[in-house]
Amino acid sequence: MAHFSAPQFYNGMKDKSIAKFNKMTAVSFAIIAAVTVAMTTAGFLTFGGATSGLVLNNYATADAGATLARLLMGFAIFGAYPICFAAARDALFELKPAWAKARGKFTQAMHLLITAAGLCISDVGFVVSFVGGVLGSAIIYIFPALLLLATTKARADAGAVQPLNTKLERWGCRAMAALGVVLAILGGATSISAAFF
């Protein structure tokens, strides 16, 4: 049997290191960002301020290219949904291990909630803005603060002495988490107001 040699592009994965990982990650995100900017710019330049949250909704139903794009998007969602759903469910069970005992009921309840939301909400732009407003604040302000509070509390519970700067950091993190909650509420409320009122 012939020996298979990986293409030159994949040779970057040999002799793994943090520096190579960072480089591959930066290049990957740069490519994704460039494609996203190109596609969104093309959509906006085509339809201007009338651009829908899902740009495919702007194209006629008789447009063959848009129909193909809708079909491919459906396949992408069909393939990605189980992965995202399983990750969300498992993360929920890690936060609340006791809930894992009712795994089947939680799975059904989550599916019911997501399906109901999908049937009721027709504007994808609202979903994107709401999730961005709420989770953006959580990722930037709330989660990092909670992580530091949890790690420093664990050290204190283990008997480690907390210096003054650590105590100040903990108070700062509490304030930052509170700010994140306020911003998440404002972001979500603004998205709801813009979409429905």
Side-chain angles (χ1 to χ4, degrees):
M1 190 167 78
H3 176 70
F4 174 76
S5 60
Q8 186 64 31
F9 176 78
Y10 294 104
N11 287 340
M13 299 308 293
K14 292 181 178 179
D15 303 322
K16 296 177 279 293
S17 68
I18 296 295
K20 284 189 176 182
F21 175 80
N22 290 340
K23 182 180 178 182
M24 293 293 287
T25 302
V27 169
S28 301
F29 272 96
I31 292 170
I32 292 168
V35 170
T36 301
V37 168
M39 294 297 105
T40 53
T41 301
F44 186 77
L45 290 177
T46 303
F47 300 107
T51 306
S52 174
L54 176 61
V55 74
L56 290 175
N57 290 341
N58 286 100
Y59 290 92
T61 53
D63 189 315
T67 301
L68 177 62
R70 290 185 186 102
L71 180 65
L72 294 175
M73 187 173 177
F75 278 118
I77 293 171
F78 183 77
Y81 176 79
I83 298 170
C84 296
F85 178 84
R89 183 190 59 193
D90 293 345
L92 181 66
F93 290 155
E94 285 185 21
L95 288 172
K96 295 286 185 180
W99 292 357
K101 295 175 183 176
R103 185 183 185 91
K105 291 180 180 178
F106 268 94
T107 300
Q108 292 171 359
M110 289 176 70
H111 273 300
L112 181 63
L113 180 65
I114 293 167
T115 303
L119 291 172
C120 296
I121 301 170
S122 59
D123 184 10
V124 178
F126 163 70
V127 177
V128 172
S129 66
F130 182 81
V131 171
V134 175
L135 290 185
S137 296
I139 291 169
I140 295 169
Y141 299 105
I142 300 172
F143 295 157
L146 293 180
L147 286 171
L148 188 136
L149 288 171
T151 55
T152 52
K153 183 180 184 302
R155 291 175 190 162
D157 291 344
V161 178
Q162 290 190 348
L164 178 61
N165 61 344
T166 301
K167 292 179 181 178
L168 292 174
E169 281 181 338
R170 286 179 60 81
W171 280 107
C173 284
R174 289 187 185 102
M176 190 168 80
L179 174 65
V181 170
V182 171
L183 292 176
I185 292 170
L186 290 175
T190 301
S191 299
I192 293 171
S193 175
F196 301 107
F197 304 103

